[in-house]
Amino acid sequence: MERLSIEERFSNIEYNLNVINERIALAAEKSGRKAEDISFMAVTKTVEPIFINHAIEHGVNLIGENKVQEFLSKKEHLKLSGCEAHLIGHLQTNKVKYIAPFVSMISSVDSARLIEEIERQAARYERCIDILLEVHVAQEETKSGWDVEELRQYIASGGLA
């Protein structure tokens, strides 16, 4: 398989962003919304910083990375001014301190312990980090997340207040 040149990959990024933006505009119009009220996240897993920066230069203002180590290895090379970064993969409690200064949202939050560490690290950097809870509703052994009853008890005890 022949590898694309940097210029060809740049061109593909621009083309794909145009298609995505057109689809967002159409969907917004059909639903009576404004396209600018819809967020589009470019997931950057395995993508090199040069191509992420190109997408940012062409309007991407939200990126999602699923591994702490990968985000940290790219971070110093990314032009994130005006671009929000989210962690979208599983997060271990001991790694929160590494990303707390940089991300505005963490998804897949699956425990009270993780919430508490996110709160602690966010306070350390005087930041507010939004979270999305992962709830295990499918009862599949291979899936993770809060047990529904455990989450109810956590909320009832004043958690997430």
Side-chain angles (χ1 to χ4, degrees):
M1 184 168 129
E2 190 174 320
R3 195 160 184 190
L4 297 177
S5 71
I6 290 174
E7 292 78 20
E8 290 170 317
R9 288 189 69 187
F10 281 172
S11 180
N12 284 348
I13 289 167
E14 293 166 32
Y15 174 80
N16 288 333
L17 287 174
N18 284 332
V19 169
I20 291 166
N21 287 326
E22 287 172 8
R23 289 180 179 175
I24 288 172
L26 285 171
E29 185 179 327
K30 284 182 183 178
S31 65
R33 296 175 66 190
K34 297 177 188 171
E36 56 270 14
D37 293 338
I38 298 171
S39 297
F40 163 71
M41 176 187 292
V43 176
T44 57
K45 178 182 178 181
T46 73
V47 178
E48 298 166 58
I50 187 173
F51 301 113
I52 299 168
N53 287 333
H54 189 75
I56 292 169
E57 290 165 8
H58 285 83
V60 167
N61 60 9
L62 175 59
I63 64 167
E65 188 62 61
N66 75 325
K67 291 185 180 177
V68 171
Q69 298 89 332
E70 188 170 351
F71 175 75
L72 293 174
S73 72
K74 295 174 183 179
K75 180 187 61 64
E76 68 183 61
H77 305 288
L78 296 176
K79 299 174 183 171
L80 292 175
S81 178
C83 184
E84 214 177 309
H86 291 189
L87 184 77
I88 59 174
H90 178 76
L91 177 60
Q92 296 172 319
T93 306
N94 64 340
K95 298 206 175 152
V96 174
K97 62 186 169 196
Y98 300 116
I99 60 156
F102 310 111
V103 299
S104 58
M105 180 181 282
I106 299 171
S107 62
S108 301
V109 175
D110 61 1
S111 71
R113 191 168 153 244
L114 183 54
I115 289 173
E116 291 161 8
E117 185 61 19
I118 292 167
E119 287 178 336
R120 189 172 16 265
Q121 294 300 328
R124 179 177 170 204
Y125 294 101
E126 298 179 348
R127 303 189 69 232
C128 179
I129 302 172
D130 292 329
I131 63 170
L132 297 176
L133 300 179
E134 181 177 0
V135 181
H136 183 190
V137 294
Q139 302 302 315
E140 295 176 33
E141 289 182 31
T142 59
K143 304 294 181 194
S144 62
W146 290 82
D147 173 76
V148 174
E149 189 52 41
E150 177 187 24
L151 180 57
R152 281 190 182 116
Q153 289 174 8
Y154 180 72
I155 293 169
S157 72
L160 300 177

